[in-house]
Amino acid sequence: YHDLTHIIASNNGETSTRLDIRDSTTGTIRFALSLQSFAAPVVINMEMTPFPQDAVNTAWTVQSSEWTTVDITLIAVARA
């Protein structure tokens, strides 16, 4: 399991979008973020209480609802 500690996302495109974040490739949407076009980056710090991954041996995935330029960084820690 790899639990999320940080999410950093920005939308550099002209279209607002929603990011669906899953803890496996085709898994359930764990949460979603709305990003306005050309807005300041969104930074979510969950270091004190990491967001748990329910699926073992899988990658976190992010899918945008629109074709736009999105930069995203996910930082996770291995659960002991």
Side-chain angles (χ1 to χ4, degrees):
Y1 299 99
H2 290 89
D3 299 339
L4 287 182
T5 59
H6 296 82
I7 300 172
I8 305 163
S10 64
N11 180 358
N12 300 312
E14 295 182 8
T15 305
S16 296
T17 189
R18 185 188 76 237
L19 299 180
D20 293 333
I21 300 174
R22 297 175 169 88
D23 62 359
S24 63
T25 304
T26 58
T28 301
I29 297 170
R30 298 298 307 274
F31 57 94
L33 296 174
S34 294
L35 296 177
Q36 300 301 314
S37 60
F38 299 112
V42 173
V43 178
I44 301 173
N45 181 346
M46 301 172 281
E47 193 168 5
M48 296 302 290
T49 307
F51 192 88
Q53 184 179 35
D54 283 344
V56 66
N57 296 326
T58 60
W60 285 93
T61 60
V62 180
Q63 182 178 10
S64 178
S65 64
E66 302 292 334
W67 288 102
T68 189
T69 305
V70 173
D71 294 319
I72 186 161
T73 300
L74 301 178
I75 301 172
V77 295
R79 190 182 322 158

